[in-house]
Amino acid sequence: MKTYEEQMAEYNKQMEEYNKQMQAYQQQMQAYQQAQQTQQPEQQFQQTQQFQQPEQQFQQTQQFQQPEQQLQQTASQEQMQPVNEVPKKTGKKKLIPFIIAGVVLVALIVVALCIFVFPNMGAKGKVKKAAKQYAEYIESCDAKALIKATAPKELIKKAILEAADKMGCDEDEIDSIKDDFNDEYSDMMDEVKDVEEDLEDEDVKIELKDFKVKSVKKANVQEIIEKFFNDIEVEEIEGYTPADIYEEFCEMAEQCEIDVNKIYRVDISYKLDIETEDYDMDDIKDELEDELDGTDTEFDIETPIDHLYAYEYDGEYYIIPGVEDAFTPALKQYMKRSKFSSDVMNASSISTALYTAFSDEQCYDDMYEAGLFNKYIVVSEEGLKELPQSVRDEFLRCLGSIPEVKSVENSNFVFLVDGDNWNITVYLDDKGDNIELYPNTDYDYFY
C-alpha cells in the first residue's frame, strides 16, 4: 500500500500531465479558428484533428482521485469480505413500470377531458354569454335585437319553408313564399320598430334586478314535451301525441341544421320591475290579481319565467324563453274549456239524432209503449240496450258513433225525452249528478 506522500507525488505528476493537455487544447482551438476561414472548415478540422477537451481526455486516460478519497476507499475495501453473488435489483428499478403506467393514465385522462369536458365548458360559456345579452336587450327594450337573438333571418326562412312543405304546399306556392319572405320580414321589423317607439313614448323602463345564470345543462326535448302534456292533463293535442310532436321536432331540426344534442336549459334568477309614466309594478300586480281572482291560476309577476332554452345554429347560440311553465295554468284552463265545448257540441249532436229518430212514427210509438219517456237513458253500449230496437238503430244511424265525454273522467252522456212537452235534454253524468249540457248549458258548474 502506497503512503500518503507517494500518492501526493503521483497526484502532482498527473496534474502536470493535465496542464500539458490544456496547452495542447489551446493550440487546437487556435487551429480550429484558422480552419473556419477555409472551405468546409469543420470537416477538414474533424479529419485532421481528433481532439477533446483535456478534462474529458484526462478522465478517459487517467482514472485518478485525490489521495484522501483513495485512502478512504482502500480502507473500506479491506473491511469487505469477497462475495460471488450477483447484485440484486434495487427498488427504484421495480417502480419504473408503475411510474410509466401512471403517466399513461394521466395522459388518457387529459385527452378525455379535452374531448368531452372542455368542449361542453366552452359551449356553456357561450350559452351564458348569450343569456346575459338577451337580458340586456330586454332591459333596453330593443325588440329588434331580441328577435335576432331568438332566431336569425335565414333560420326563420328555413322553418317557414319546411312548415309549408309539411302542410302540403305545392312548388309554386313554396316559390311564392320564398319570393315574399324578404318583404314580409322587413314588414315585421317595421312593426317591431313601431313597438320600440311606443315603449319609448310611454317611457317604459324594464329592469331585471340581480339577473343571474344559475345553471346550464343539456335539455332533453322529449322529456320536456311529455312533461308539458302531463301538466295540462291531456294525452294528445289535435290528434298529436308527445311522441308524434317529438318526431316532428327532430325532423324539423334536422332540416334546419339544428343539433338536438346542443340544446340547453338555462336556469335563471332575477326580479322583474316595470315602471312607466302612468303606472308601476304595484299597479301591474293589482291588475293581475283582479284578472286571476276566482281562478286556480297562480302567476308570479316578478319572475314570470325561471329558465331559458339555448340552441346552436351556424356556430352561434340563440335564446328562446322557457314559457311552458308560465303558460301551463292558462293553457290547462283553455284545454278544460275546449274539452267542455267539445262535450256541448256532442250533446247537441245527440239531441239532433234523437229528434231525427223520433220523427219516424214507429220509433215514437215503440218508445211510448216501452214507457221510456221522462226517463234518463245513458248513452253507452250498455245503456242504449234499454231502447227499443227500432229507436236504437235509427239513433245510432243518425249519430254515427257513441261519443266520449272529455271534460270529466269516467263519465257518460245522459238524455231525457219529455213526452209531455216534447223536449229532449242532454246531460253529463258527473258521479251521479246530471249536469245539463244542452239546450241550456250549466256554465256555472264548469266555470
Side-chain angles (χ1 to χ4, degrees):
M1 176 179 174
K2 294 179 181 180
T3 64
Y4 178 80
E5 288 78 14
E6 290 174 343
Q7 289 184 352
M8 285 298 297
E10 185 177 350
Y11 176 78
N12 292 333
K13 185 178 179 180
Q14 291 175 345
M15 289 299 298
E16 290 177 1
E17 183 65 22
Y18 175 78
N19 292 332
K20 290 179 182 180
Q21 291 181 359
M22 283 294 295
Q23 292 176 359
Y25 172 75
Q26 293 175 355
Q27 292 174 358
Q28 290 174 350
M29 287 298 298
Q30 292 176 357
Y32 175 77
Q33 292 174 355
Q34 293 175 359
Q36 284 183 324
Q37 299 176 359
T38 62
Q39 184 177 5
Q40 297 180 347
E42 294 179 359
Q43 295 179 1
Q44 293 178 5
F45 187 74
Q46 290 173 0
Q47 293 174 0
T48 58
Q49 301 291 339
Q50 300 295 328
F51 69 92
Q52 295 174 310
Q53 291 186 8
E55 296 91 339
Q56 296 174 350
Q57 293 180 357
F58 187 70
Q59 290 172 4
Q60 292 175 0
T61 58
Q62 301 291 336
Q63 301 297 326
F64 70 92
Q65 295 173 314
Q66 292 185 6
E68 295 92 340
Q69 295 174 346
Q70 292 181 358
L71 286 173
Q72 291 174 0
Q73 289 185 356
T74 303
S76 62
Q77 288 174 0
E78 289 177 352
Q79 298 174 359
M80 293 176 62
Q81 297 294 330
V83 293
N84 296 324
E85 296 180 357
V86 178
K88 296 181 179 181
K89 293 182 179 180
T90 65
K92 290 184 179 180
K93 290 184 178 180
K94 292 181 179 180
L95 287 175
I96 289 176
F98 296 100
I99 294 173
I100 295 174
V103 171
V104 172
L105 179 61
V106 171
L108 290 174
I109 292 173
V110 171
V111 171
L113 287 172
C114 292
I115 294 175
F116 300 108
V117 178
F118 293 154
N120 287 336
M121 289 176 63
K124 289 182 178 180
K126 292 181 179 179
V127 169
K128 286 184 178 180
K129 182 178 179 181
K132 291 177 181 178
Q133 187 67 65
Y134 196 84
E136 291 177 6
Y137 292 149
I138 293 175
E139 290 185 316
S140 61
C141 298
D142 193 342
K144 280 188 176 181
L146 280 172
I147 290 177
K148 293 178 180 179
T150 301
K153 179 180 178 181
E154 184 61 28
L155 178 58
I156 295 174
K157 183 177 181 179
K158 283 184 179 180
I160 291 175
L161 293 175
E162 179 64 19
D165 182 61
K166 285 189 173 294
M167 291 172 61
C169 295
D170 57 32
E171 187 174 345
D172 292 338
E173 290 173 325
I174 292 177
D175 288 339
S176 177
I177 293 173
K178 289 180 181 178
D179 295 338
D180 296 340
F181 175 77
N182 288 334
D183 291 337
E184 294 288 344
Y185 187 84
S186 297
D187 292 343
M188 179 182 69
M189 285 301 183
D190 289 340
E191 293 177 2
V192 168
K193 185 178 180 181
D194 293 339
V195 171
E196 291 178 349
E197 292 176 353
D198 291 341
L199 292 173
E200 186 176 356
D201 293 340
E202 293 290 334
D203 195 24
V204 175
K205 292 181 176 62
I206 300 176
E207 184 179 1
L208 303 178
K209 295 181 179 179
D210 301 323
F211 179 88
K212 292 180 182 178
V213 176
K214 296 168 60 178
S215 66
V216 177
K217 55 189 176 184
K218 283 193 175 182
N220 187 319
V221 178
Q222 188 171 10
E223 289 182 359
I224 293 171
I225 296 172
E226 291 174 353
K227 179 180 181 300
F228 179 70
F229 271 69
N230 290 334
D231 288 344
I232 62 176
E233 300 177 359
V234 297
E235 295 182 357
E236 61 179 41
I237 298 176
E238 298 296 328
Y240 284 90
T241 65
D244 296 332
I245 293 179
Y246 178 67
E247 184 179 353
E248 291 282 344
F249 172 82
C250 290
E251 291 179 4
M252 177 73 78
E254 183 178 0
Q255 292 296 327
C256 294
E257 301 177 0
I258 295 176
D259 188 351
V260 294
N261 294 316
K262 292 184 178 181
I263 298 177
Y264 294 87
R265 176 187 169 112
V266 186
D267 289 316
I268 57 176
S269 63
Y270 61 94
K271 186 176 180 181
L272 176 64
D273 185 64
I274 302 176
E275 289 187 6
T276 70
E277 291 182 350
D278 301 325
Y279 56 87
D280 58 16
M281 201 64 183
D282 291 334
D283 296 326
I284 297 175
K285 289 179 181 179
D286 293 340
E287 186 69 23
L288 182 63
E289 288 178 2
D290 292 339
E291 289 291 331
L292 299 180
D293 186 29
T295 70
D296 296 331
T297 303
E298 295 182 0
F299 189 74
D300 184 3
I301 187 60
E302 292 186 342
T303 311
I305 60 173
D306 61 2
H307 65 279
L308 309 167
Y309 291 109
Y311 67 94
E312 185 191 40
Y313 177 76
D314 198 22
E316 299 292 333
Y317 279 91
Y318 297 87
I319 300 296
I320 298 176
V323 298
E324 72 276 13
D325 291 343
F327 285 166
T328 293
L331 186 57
K332 184 178 179 180
Q333 190 70 16
Y334 168 79
M335 294 302 297
K336 181 178 179 181
R337 294 182 179 183
S338 177
K339 291 178 180 180
F340 175 67
S341 296
S342 177
D343 288 342
V344 172
M345 292 179 62
N346 284 330
S348 175
S349 298
I350 291 172
S351 177
T352 301
L354 287 170
Y355 275 116
T356 303
F358 290 128
S359 65
D360 184 331
E361 186 175 349
Q362 183 63 46
C363 290
Y364 180 87
D365 292 342
D366 291 344
M367 187 72 171
Y368 179 79
E369 291 177 3
L372 296 177
F373 286 131
N374 301 316
K375 184 177 180 180
Y376 292 106
I377 304 296
V378 178
V379 184
S380 65
E381 290 186 6
E382 189 65 28
L384 293 179
K385 290 180 180 180
E386 292 188 51
L387 296 175
Q389 184 70 39
S390 60
V391 178
R392 183 169 65 252
D393 291 345
E394 187 64 16
F395 171 64
L396 291 176
R397 185 188 69 81
C398 297
L399 186 61
S401 61
I402 299 174
E404 295 182 1
V405 175
K406 295 182 178 181
S407 59
V408 179
E409 293 183 357
N410 302 320
S411 179
N412 291 299
F413 292 103
V414 177
F415 69 84
L416 182 145
V417 180
D418 183 351
D420 298 329
N421 300 309
W422 194 232
N423 290 324
I424 297 176
T425 305
V426 182
Y427 303 88
L428 182 151
D429 176 19
D430 185 4
K431 299 177 182 178
D433 294 331
N434 291 328
I435 312 303
E436 184 172 350
L437 290 176
Y438 190 84
N440 300 312
T441 305
D442 186 357
Y443 289 102
D444 292 336
Y445 179 83
F446 291 97
Y447 296 122

